[in-house]
Amino acid sequence: MIGFIKKLYDKYRLRQARNRVVSRCCIGNNNIITQSANIKLINGSVKEDIKIGSYFKISGQIISSHHGKVEIGDHCLVGPNCCVGAVLSVKIGNYVMFSNNVTAIDNNNHPVNPVDRKIMNSVDYSSPYRSWKYAVAKPIVIHDNVWIGRNSIINKGVTIGENSIVAAGSVVTKDVPPNCIVGGNPAKVVKMNIDQEPRLIPDVD
């Protein structure tokens, strides 16, 4: 009986997650939406501000504030506990994978000026002064076929080149060239010209 109730509850949670995602963005076909998936539209944003392609799997959350644009291509993954957020723009290409606990937000989340921070901290949590509108923001661009490892942070204004890898636990503060591996805090190039020879050979009938 307990197992049956749990199945019903899991099914309900999955339906709720699907409704949260589908109703709050423009999304393609053949997508996988898990129970933890969430999309937030805040401070006037609308579903047209978030555009997602097909064959997409989401377990984390995507946030648009003040009409910030989030664009995600086909065959992408946003893993558990990830957060993708925009007040300006986050553009993600095709075949981009976010492992668990990755953060890619195009702003500082708070004012840099110390006086402004005091003002922010003195007002109610519902105040507009606590919104991303008052944080410094710059667009993020992640090109095709990028892998971003677990617990990494992609800072505002960063562009990551095609085919590159961000090693687990990295903090990316500067642009990443195509076809390389970066790691560390702050992230630096640790390998250029990743081997292009395929090793995963598909089965052939």
Side-chain angles (χ1 to χ4, degrees), residues 110-123 127 129-131 133-136:
H110 58 78
V112 173
N113 182 280
V115 175
D116 288 340
R117 286 204 313 279
K118 281 185 179 179
I119 294 171
M120 182 191 74
N121 287 325
S122 67
V123 299
S127 170
Y129 287 119
R130 288 186 177 270
S131 73
K133 178 181 179 181
Y134 295 96
V136 177

Side-chain angles (χ1 to χ4, degrees), residues 1-79:
M1 185 65 179
I2 294 176
F4 176 71
I5 294 173
K6 185 178 183 304
K7 284 183 180 179
L8 285 179
Y9 179 65
D10 287 344
K11 190 174 182 180
Y12 167 77
R13 287 191 62 201
L14 190 59
R15 185 169 64 249
Q16 291 293 99
R18 175 164 286 280
N19 289 339
R20 284 196 303 269
V21 171
V22 172
S23 65
R24 298 174 187 174
C25 71
C26 300
I27 192 168
N29 302 314
N30 300 303
N31 298 295
I32 299 173
I33 299 170
T34 70
Q35 292 182 6
S36 58
N38 193 21
I39 287 182
K40 293 182 179 180
L41 302 172
I42 58 178
N43 299 311
S45 289
V46 295
K47 67 179 295 183
E48 287 77 16
D49 293 320
I50 299 177
K51 297 180 180 179
I52 299 171
S54 299
Y55 301 96
F56 173 67
K57 182 176 181 180
I58 178 172
S59 298
Q61 73 170 335
I62 300 171
I63 304 170
S64 170
S65 177
H66 294 93
H67 293 288
K69 309 300 182 186
V70 178
E71 296 182 31
I72 301 176
D74 298 331
H75 297 277
C76 291
L77 165 70
V78 173

Side-chain angles (χ1 to χ4, degrees), residues 42-198:
I42 58 178
N43 299 311
S45 289
V46 295
K47 67 179 295 183
E48 287 77 16
D49 293 320
I50 299 177
K51 297 180 180 179
I52 299 171
S54 299
Y55 301 96
F56 173 67
K57 182 176 181 180
I58 178 172
S59 298
Q61 73 170 335
I62 300 171
I63 304 170
S64 170
S65 177
H66 294 93
H67 293 288
K69 309 300 182 186
V70 178
E71 296 182 31
I72 301 176
D74 298 331
H75 297 277
C76 291
L77 165 70
V78 173
N81 300 312
C82 288
C83 182
V84 178
V87 70
L88 287 181
S89 171
V90 176
K91 188 170 184 179
I92 298 169
N94 303 310
Y95 300 96
V96 174
M97 303 290 161
F98 282 40
S99 186
N100 300 2
N101 307 309
V102 172
T103 300
I105 297 178
D106 70 354
N107 63 86
N108 287 339
N109 197 250
H110 58 78
V112 173
N113 182 280
V115 175
D116 288 340
R117 286 204 313 279
K118 281 185 179 179
I119 294 171
M120 182 191 74
N121 287 325
S122 67
V123 299
D124 188 79
Y125 276 89
S126 61
S127 170
Y129 287 119
R130 288 186 177 270
S131 73
W132 288 350
K133 178 181 179 181
Y134 295 96
V136 177
K138 295 179 182 179
I140 291 173
V141 178
I142 301 173
H143 288 283
D144 292 351
N145 201 32
V146 168
W147 174 270
I148 301 178
R150 176 189 296 264
N151 299 322
S152 293
I153 298 172
I154 312 301
N155 282 358
K156 71 181 189 301
V158 165
T159 295
I160 301 179
E162 186 175 8
N163 299 325
S164 287
I165 295 170
V166 176
S170 299
V171 178
V172 184
T173 61
K174 296 181 179 179
D175 290 352
V176 175
N179 199 44
C180 74
I181 300 174
V182 298
N185 179 11
K188 297 179 180 179
V189 175
V190 296
K191 184 173 183 179
M192 294 291 294
N193 301 318
I194 300 172
D195 185 4
Q196 297 292 307
E197 188 66 27

